[in-house]
Amino acid sequence: MSTDTTIAATPPASAATTETAPKRRGYWSLWAKVPREFAFLILTMPIAITGLVVLATTFFTGLGLIALVFGIFILVASLFIARGFGTLELVRLRWAGRAEITRPVWERQNREQGFWRTMFAPFIDGHYWLYLLHGMVINPIISIVSWSLTIAWTSAALGGTTGWIWQRYIPDGRGDQDFWLYDVVIDWMFPGNTLSVDPRVGEAVFEFILGLIFLATLPFVFRGLTLLHDVIARGVLGAWRSEALEREVAQLDASRGAAVQAEDASLRRLERDIHDGPQQRLVRLQMDLAAIERKLERDPESARELLGEARDQARETLDELRALSRGFAPPILQDRGLAVALQSVAARSPIPVTVEIDLPADATLPASIERNAYFLAAELLTNAVKHAEASGIRLTVSTRDTGATGHWLDLWVTDNGRGGAALTAGHGLAGLEERVQGLRGMLVVDSPVGGPTTIGAHIPFAPLAAGETAIQN
């Protein structure tokens, strides 16, 4: 029995290093997205007009033929087509650099079952009608406005800044009296003064300055128009907050059910172990004590031998009860933390275990997470010893911060045994999976025949706040 241990204690990072540095935002960063936003805006009206034509044709055709059977199918087809155009708008916004918009859940459990229910489900789903409203009314109107502003602003910016290059080669046949706009601007800026400047040169300078203004404001206009489409799509095409809450409630209900089942299975297993082990020893101890009482006066030597056996029975019973209790809240976990407790579990293994632990130096793990991680590691190591026929085991524990999905505890147990482990109902790994699901995590099993076997548990957790203490039960 040997244990190689590598503990990498990660010191708590300062507030300056823990928080991700915010992205620098400035005027020049707006230009980085101008090509994508321009492509989004310039294609908006063609796509919107195409959607309007297709949707109006199918919807009103189906509405006119609703008295006939196939008219209803045409209406359903128009709703599905509206869903397609709405989804395309969301994809284009994401490609233009906008944040992901949560899409509606189209397939609902216990609602869309069978061909006919699936076919007519759009009639009772408000999202389909909102997508139809967006494709037939909202998007065409907004697209005409945004597309026109995009063309006008781009033309003014490019034409004004480059007009001095190409305008000289275009004959216009104008005389000096035709530059009335130039004369008005000069009289307004320099009243009573007469500038001896060629009106054509003055107009070119004026257009160049105006083009620079349009060019300088181009990123703001593109960003504003794209944001307008994003806000409308987020309100009309996105999922409703009530749906997110509904999914959260369903997930919590499933997690609670899995946790209750896992705890019930653990209690039944503990009851069975106590019945098969310590209870039988206690019955034997009771019988030995009764025999000692009968022989104490008649045969002291035999009674002395029975006392020794009874003492051994009491010691073994106590050791077995302690071993059973380790699966729930061992004292070493309470007193010295998860890292030391996992080393203790590995040290008791008859097969050499290499332990690699990468946990924060400060105790940021909640008590329930530490307790379940200890139990999972103990159970996985025991399974590897009993069934894997391995000559070496590796236990790896670490935490990670994914940002969007929060903090996770990763626990891996790998052995070089014969493999073939599977999540079979009623067996040990299935019980561990229920426990992990009860914590809203996931259990991954990779065990091809012939080995090696790798089992990983990924458990989400909320780190303890500064000064908060984990209370072990």
Side-chain angles (χ1 to χ4, degrees), residues 227-258:
L227 182 61
L228 175 63
H229 283 272
D230 180 80
V231 170
I232 293 174
R234 198 171 294 274
V236 179
L237 305 179
W240 299 329
R241 179 172 175 81
S242 59
E243 293 177 325
L245 294 176
E246 181 181 348
R247 290 195 299 270
E248 183 71 16
V249 169
Q251 292 175 358
L252 291 175
D253 186 63
S255 299
R256 182 179 60 183

mmCIF file of all heavy atoms in Angstrom, residues 227-258:
data_model
loop_
_atom_site.group_PDB
_atom_site.id
_atom_site.type_symbol
_atom_site.label_atom_id
_atom_site.label_comp_id
_atom_site.label_asym_id
_atom_site.label_seq_id
_atom_site.Cartn_x
_atom_site.Cartn_y
_atom_site.Cartn_z
ATOM 1 N N LEU A 227 -28.406 48.010 -32.651
ATOM 2 C CA LEU A 227 -28.992 47.879 -31.323
ATOM 3 C C LEU A 227 -30.508 47.963 -31.382
ATOM 4 O O LEU A 227 -31.208 47.279 -30.621
ATOM 5 C CB LEU A 227 -28.431 48.969 -30.407
ATOM 6 C CG LEU A 227 -28.907 48.960 -28.946
ATOM 7 C CD1 LEU A 227 -28.513 47.655 -28.276
ATOM 8 C CD2 LEU A 227 -28.319 50.151 -28.187
ATOM 9 N N LEU A 228 -31.036 48.781 -32.286
ATOM 10 C CA LEU A 228 -32.490 48.874 -32.447
ATOM 11 C C LEU A 228 -33.068 47.518 -32.853
ATOM 12 O O LEU A 228 -34.075 47.061 -32.277
ATOM 13 C CB LEU A 228 -32.818 49.940 -33.498
ATOM 14 C CG LEU A 228 -34.299 50.087 -33.882
ATOM 15 C CD1 LEU A 228 -35.122 50.517 -32.684
ATOM 16 C CD2 LEU A 228 -34.453 51.066 -35.039
ATOM 17 N N HIS A 229 -32.459 46.875 -33.831
ATOM 18 C CA HIS A 229 -32.917 45.540 -34.236
ATOM 19 C C HIS A 229 -32.759 44.544 -33.088
ATOM 20 O O HIS A 229 -33.616 43.667 -32.898
ATOM 21 C CB HIS A 229 -32.121 45.063 -35.454
ATOM 22 C CG HIS A 229 -32.551 45.691 -36.740
ATOM 23 N ND1 HIS A 229 -33.556 45.180 -37.528
ATOM 24 C CD2 HIS A 229 -32.117 46.812 -37.375
ATOM 25 C CE1 HIS A 229 -33.720 45.949 -38.602
ATOM 26 N NE2 HIS A 229 -32.852 46.946 -38.540
ATOM 27 N N ASP A 230 -31.681 44.669 -32.326
ATOM 28 C CA ASP A 230 -31.437 43.745 -31.221
ATOM 29 C C ASP A 230 -32.497 43.891 -30.139
ATOM 30 O O ASP A 230 -33.004 42.893 -29.604
ATOM 31 C CB ASP A 230 -30.037 43.992 -30.646
ATOM 32 C CG ASP A 230 -29.719 43.059 -29.497
ATOM 33 O OD1 ASP A 230 -29.358 41.899 -29.762
ATOM 34 O OD2 ASP A 230 -29.830 43.492 -28.328
ATOM 35 N N VAL A 231 -32.838 45.121 -29.787
ATOM 36 C CA VAL A 231 -33.838 45.345 -28.746
ATOM 37 C C VAL A 231 -35.194 44.792 -29.177
ATOM 38 O O VAL A 231 -35.905 44.141 -28.397
ATOM 39 C CB VAL A 231 -33.940 46.852 -28.424
ATOM 40 C CG1 VAL A 231 -35.129 47.134 -27.527
ATOM 41 C CG2 VAL A 231 -32.657 47.338 -27.762
ATOM 42 N N ILE A 232 -35.574 45.049 -30.427
ATOM 43 C CA ILE A 232 -36.852 44.540 -30.929
ATOM 44 C C ILE A 232 -36.857 43.010 -30.953
ATOM 45 O O ILE A 232 -37.825 42.369 -30.525
ATOM 46 C CB ILE A 232 -37.134 45.119 -32.325
ATOM 47 C CG1 ILE A 232 -37.360 46.628 -32.230
ATOM 48 C CG2 ILE A 232 -38.340 44.440 -32.960
ATOM 49 C CD1 ILE A 232 -37.508 47.308 -33.560
ATOM 50 N N ALA A 233 -35.775 42.418 -31.448
ATOM 51 C CA ALA A 233 -35.701 40.953 -31.494
ATOM 52 C C ALA A 233 -35.699 40.354 -30.098
ATOM 53 O O ALA A 233 -36.316 39.303 -29.864
ATOM 54 C CB ALA A 233 -34.447 40.520 -32.260
ATOM 55 N N ARG A 234 -35.036 41.013 -29.164
ATOM 56 C CA ARG A 234 -34.986 40.489 -27.798
ATOM 57 C C ARG A 234 -36.374 40.508 -27.149
ATOM 58 O O ARG A 234 -36.712 39.623 -26.354
ATOM 59 C CB ARG A 234 -33.994 41.316 -26.971
ATOM 60 C CG ARG A 234 -33.519 40.639 -25.703
ATOM 61 C CD ARG A 234 -32.375 41.440 -25.093
ATOM 62 N NE ARG A 234 -31.204 41.419 -25.954
ATOM 63 C CZ ARG A 234 -30.283 40.466 -25.934
ATOM 64 N NH1 ARG A 234 -30.411 39.446 -25.104
ATOM 65 N NH2 ARG A 234 -29.239 40.522 -26.737
ATOM 66 N N GLY A 235 -37.172 41.516 -27.488
ATOM 67 C CA GLY A 235 -38.500 41.595 -26.894
ATOM 68 C C GLY A 235 -39.538 40.760 -27.604
ATOM 69 O O GLY A 235 -40.480 40.280 -26.966
ATOM 70 N N VAL A 236 -39.387 40.568 -28.924
ATOM 71 C CA VAL A 236 -40.408 39.858 -29.694
ATOM 72 C C VAL A 236 -40.018 38.403 -29.970
ATOM 73 O O VAL A 236 -40.862 37.504 -29.889
ATOM 74 C CB VAL A 236 -40.671 40.596 -31.033
ATOM 75 C CG1 VAL A 236 -41.720 39.859 -31.859
ATOM 76 C CG2 VAL A 236 -41.128 42.027 -30.764
ATOM 77 N N LEU A 237 -38.754 38.169 -30.277
ATOM 78 C CA LEU A 237 -38.312 36.841 -30.695
ATOM 79 C C LEU A 237 -37.681 36.026 -29.576
ATOM 80 O O LEU A 237 -37.474 34.814 -29.749
ATOM 81 C CB LEU A 237 -37.306 36.966 -31.851
ATOM 82 C CG LEU A 237 -37.766 37.753 -33.081
ATOM 83 C CD1 LEU A 237 -36.657 37.797 -34.120
ATOM 84 C CD2 LEU A 237 -39.031 37.158 -33.667
ATOM 85 N N GLY A 238 -37.328 36.654 -28.466
ATOM 86 C CA GLY A 238 -36.664 35.937 -27.389
ATOM 87 C C GLY A 238 -37.631 35.157 -26.517
ATOM 88 O O GLY A 238 -38.857 35.309 -26.594
ATOM 89 N N ALA A 239 -37.071 34.300 -25.690
ATOM 90 C CA ALA A 239 -37.884 33.515 -24.754
ATOM 91 C C ALA A 239 -38.419 34.413 -23.651
ATOM 92 O O ALA A 239 -37.833 35.444 -23.318
ATOM 93 C CB ALA A 239 -37.051 32.375 -24.155
ATOM 94 N N TRP A 240 -39.522 34.026 -23.089
ATOM 95 C CA TRP A 240 -40.121 34.775 -21.992
ATOM 96 C C TRP A 240 -39.464 34.394 -20.678
ATOM 97 O O TRP A 240 -39.001 33.272 -20.485
ATOM 98 C CB TRP A 240 -41.626 34.497 -21.916
ATOM 99 C CG TRP A 240 -42.357 34.908 -23.150
ATOM 100 C CD1 TRP A 240 -42.038 35.936 -23.983
ATOM 101 C CD2 TRP A 240 -43.517 34.278 -23.717
ATOM 102 N NE1 TRP A 240 -42.923 36.009 -25.020
ATOM 103 C CE2 TRP A 240 -43.854 35.007 -24.892
ATOM 104 C CE3 TRP A 240 -44.305 33.198 -23.352
ATOM 105 C CZ2 TRP A 240 -44.938 34.672 -25.680
ATOM 106 C CZ3 TRP A 240 -45.391 32.870 -24.140
ATOM 107 C CH2 TRP A 240 -45.702 33.598 -25.293
ATOM 108 N N ARG A 241 -39.436 35.354 -19.766
ATOM 109 C CA ARG A 241 -38.839 35.092 -18.458
ATOM 110 C C ARG A 241 -39.607 33.994 -17.710
ATOM 111 O O ARG A 241 -39.021 33.200 -16.973
ATOM 112 C CB ARG A 241 -38.826 36.378 -17.627
ATOM 113 C CG ARG A 241 -38.250 36.190 -16.237
ATOM 114 C CD ARG A 241 -38.073 37.508 -15.508
ATOM 115 N NE ARG A 241 -37.625 37.315 -14.146
ATOM 116 C CZ ARG A 241 -36.370 37.084 -13.798
ATOM 117 N NH1 ARG A 241 -35.449 37.015 -14.737
ATOM 118 N NH2 ARG A 241 -36.033 36.917 -12.543
ATOM 119 N N SER A 242 -40.901 33.931 -17.920
ATOM 120 C CA SER A 242 -41.696 32.893 -17.248
ATOM 121 C C SER A 242 -41.269 31.501 -17.685
ATOM 122 O O SER A 242 -41.313 30.548 -16.895
ATOM 123 C CB SER A 242 -43.180 33.094 -17.547
ATOM 124 O OG SER A 242 -43.427 33.052 -18.945
ATOM 125 N N GLU A 243 -40.817 31.368 -18.955
ATOM 126 C CA GLU A 243 -40.353 30.064 -19.429
ATOM 127 C C GLU A 243 -39.061 29.664 -18.739
ATOM 128 O O GLU A 243 -38.872 28.488 -18.383
ATOM 129 C CB GLU A 243 -40.145 30.106 -20.936
ATOM 130 C CG GLU A 243 -41.429 30.280 -21.736
ATOM 131 C CD GLU A 243 -41.177 30.388 -23.220
ATOM 132 O OE1 GLU A 243 -40.152 30.974 -23.607
ATOM 133 O OE2 GLU A 243 -42.008 29.877 -23.995
ATOM 134 N N ALA A 244 -38.163 30.632 -18.539
ATOM 135 C CA ALA A 244 -36.913 30.325 -17.834
ATOM 136 C C ALA A 244 -37.198 29.898 -16.399
ATOM 137 O O ALA A 244 -36.591 28.962 -15.875
ATOM 138 C CB ALA A 244 -35.990 31.550 -17.853
ATOM 139 N N LEU A 245 -38.140 30.603 -15.753
ATOM 140 C CA LEU A 245 -38.503 30.226 -14.380
ATOM 141 C C LEU A 245 -39.151 28.849 -14.355
ATOM 142 O O LEU A 245 -38.911 28.057 -13.437
ATOM 143 C CB LEU A 245 -39.448 31.272 -13.797
ATOM 144 C CG LEU A 245 -38.858 32.669 -13.576
ATOM 145 C CD1 LEU A 245 -39.925 33.632 -13.088
ATOM 146 C CD2 LEU A 245 -37.705 32.612 -12.574
ATOM 147 N N GLU A 246 -39.948 28.557 -15.378
ATOM 148 C CA GLU A 246 -40.588 27.243 -15.445
ATOM 149 C C GLU A 246 -39.546 26.140 -15.581
ATOM 150 O O GLU A 246 -39.630 25.099 -14.911
ATOM 151 C CB GLU A 246 -41.554 27.220 -16.628
ATOM 152 C CG GLU A 246 -42.305 25.904 -16.787
ATOM 153 C CD GLU A 246 -43.226 25.925 -17.991
ATOM 154 O OE1 GLU A 246 -43.445 27.025 -18.546
ATOM 155 O OE2 GLU A 246 -43.714 24.843 -18.391
ATOM 156 N N ARG A 247 -38.545 26.357 -16.448
ATOM 157 C CA ARG A 247 -37.486 25.357 -16.599
ATOM 158 C C ARG A 247 -36.675 25.216 -15.315
ATOM 159 O O ARG A 247 -36.298 24.112 -14.932
ATOM 160 C CB ARG A 247 -36.565 25.737 -17.761
ATOM 161 C CG ARG A 247 -37.208 25.606 -19.130
ATOM 162 C CD ARG A 247 -36.158 25.642 -20.232
ATOM 163 N NE ARG A 247 -35.426 26.900 -20.242
ATOM 164 C CZ ARG A 247 -35.789 27.964 -20.927
ATOM 165 N NH1 ARG A 247 -36.888 27.933 -21.664
ATOM 166 N NH2 ARG A 247 -35.080 29.068 -20.895
ATOM 167 N N GLU A 248 -36.412 26.359 -14.650
ATOM 168 C CA GLU A 248 -35.656 26.305 -13.396
ATOM 169 C C GLU A 248 -36.398 25.513 -12.337
ATOM 170 O O GLU A 248 -35.804 24.704 -11.610
ATOM 171 C CB GLU A 248 -35.389 27.734 -12.914
ATOM 172 C CG GLU A 248 -34.557 27.821 -11.651
ATOM 173 C CD GLU A 248 -33.112 27.430 -11.874
ATOM 174 O OE1 GLU A 248 -32.680 27.376 -13.047
ATOM 175 O OE2 GLU A 248 -32.425 27.171 -10.871
ATOM 176 N N VAL A 249 -37.712 25.739 -12.252
ATOM 177 C CA VAL A 249 -38.517 24.997 -11.274
ATOM 178 C C VAL A 249 -38.495 23.504 -11.594
ATOM 179 O O VAL A 249 -38.376 22.651 -10.702
ATOM 180 C CB VAL A 249 -39.957 25.541 -11.252
ATOM 181 C CG1 VAL A 249 -40.864 24.622 -10.447
ATOM 182 C CG2 VAL A 249 -39.987 26.937 -10.652
ATOM 183 N N ALA A 250 -38.600 23.174 -12.895
ATOM 184 C CA ALA A 250 -38.569 21.762 -13.285
ATOM 185 C C ALA A 250 -37.224 21.124 -12.942
ATOM 186 O O ALA A 250 -37.165 19.993 -12.453
ATOM 187 C CB ALA A 250 -38.861 21.633 -14.779
ATOM 188 N N GLN A 251 -36.123 21.855 -13.189
ATOM 189 C CA GLN A 251 -34.803 21.326 -12.868
ATOM 190 C C GLN A 251 -34.630 21.145 -11.363
ATOM 191 O O GLN A 251 -34.086 20.143 -10.897
ATOM 192 C CB GLN A 251 -33.723 22.252 -13.417
ATOM 193 C CG GLN A 251 -33.652 22.272 -14.935
ATOM 194 C CD GLN A 251 -32.660 23.298 -15.446
ATOM 195 O OE1 GLN A 251 -32.052 24.028 -14.676
ATOM 196 N NE2 GLN A 251 -32.500 23.374 -16.757
ATOM 197 N N LEU A 252 -35.101 22.141 -10.600
ATOM 198 C CA LEU A 252 -34.993 22.022 -9.150
ATOM 199 C C LEU A 252 -35.827 20.867 -8.628
ATOM 200 O O LEU A 252 -35.406 20.148 -7.712
ATOM 201 C CB LEU A 252 -35.433 23.335 -8.486
ATOM 202 C CG LEU A 252 -34.509 24.543 -8.684
ATOM 203 C CD1 LEU A 252 -35.130 25.798 -8.084
ATOM 204 C CD2 LEU A 252 -33.155 24.277 -8.047
ATOM 205 N N ASP A 253 -37.008 20.684 -9.203
ATOM 206 C CA ASP A 253 -37.862 19.578 -8.780
ATOM 207 C C ASP A 253 -37.203 18.242 -9.092
ATOM 208 O O ASP A 253 -37.212 17.315 -8.266
ATOM 209 C CB ASP A 253 -39.217 19.685 -9.478
ATOM 210 C CG ASP A 253 -40.195 18.640 -8.967
ATOM 211 O OD1 ASP A 253 -40.538 18.684 -7.774
ATOM 212 O OD2 ASP A 253 -40.614 17.769 -9.760
ATOM 213 N N ALA A 254 -36.604 18.144 -10.302
ATOM 214 C CA ALA A 254 -35.916 16.901 -10.655
ATOM 215 C C ALA A 254 -34.700 16.669 -9.759
ATOM 216 O O ALA A 254 -34.432 15.539 -9.337
ATOM 217 C CB ALA A 254 -35.499 16.941 -12.128
ATOM 218 N N SER A 255 -33.954 17.753 -9.482
ATOM 219 C CA SER A 255 -32.778 17.617 -8.618
ATOM 220 C C SER A 255 -33.179 17.197 -7.213
ATOM 221 O O SER A 255 -32.533 16.352 -6.584
ATOM 222 C CB SER A 255 -32.017 18.946 -8.577
ATOM 223 O OG SER A 255 -31.567 19.300 -9.864
ATOM 224 N N ARG A 256 -34.266 17.805 -6.714
ATOM 225 C CA ARG A 256 -34.712 17.439 -5.371
ATOM 226 C C ARG A 256 -35.154 15.985 -5.316
ATOM 227 O O ARG A 256 -34.844 15.257 -4.373
ATOM 228 C CB ARG A 256 -35.867 18.355 -4.960
ATOM 229 C CG ARG A 256 -36.371 18.092 -3.551
ATOM 230 C CD ARG A 256 -37.492 19.045 -3.195
ATOM 231 N NE ARG A 256 -38.613 18.893 -4.121
ATOM 232 C CZ ARG A 256 -39.710 19.635 -4.081
ATOM 233 N NH1 ARG A 256 -39.818 20.605 -3.196
ATOM 234 N NH2 ARG A 256 -40.689 19.421 -4.943
ATOM 235 N N GLY A 257 -35.873 15.546 -6.375
ATOM 236 C CA GLY A 257 -36.294 14.151 -6.408
ATOM 237 C C GLY A 257 -35.114 13.203 -6.465
ATOM 238 O O GLY A 257 -35.095 12.178 -5.781
ATOM 239 N N ALA A 258 -34.101 13.572 -7.288
ATOM 240 C CA ALA A 258 -32.915 12.715 -7.372
ATOM 241 C C ALA A 258 -32.164 12.686 -6.052
ATOM 242 O O ALA A 258 -31.650 11.638 -5.632
ATOM 243 C CB ALA A 258 -32.002 13.213 -8.492
#
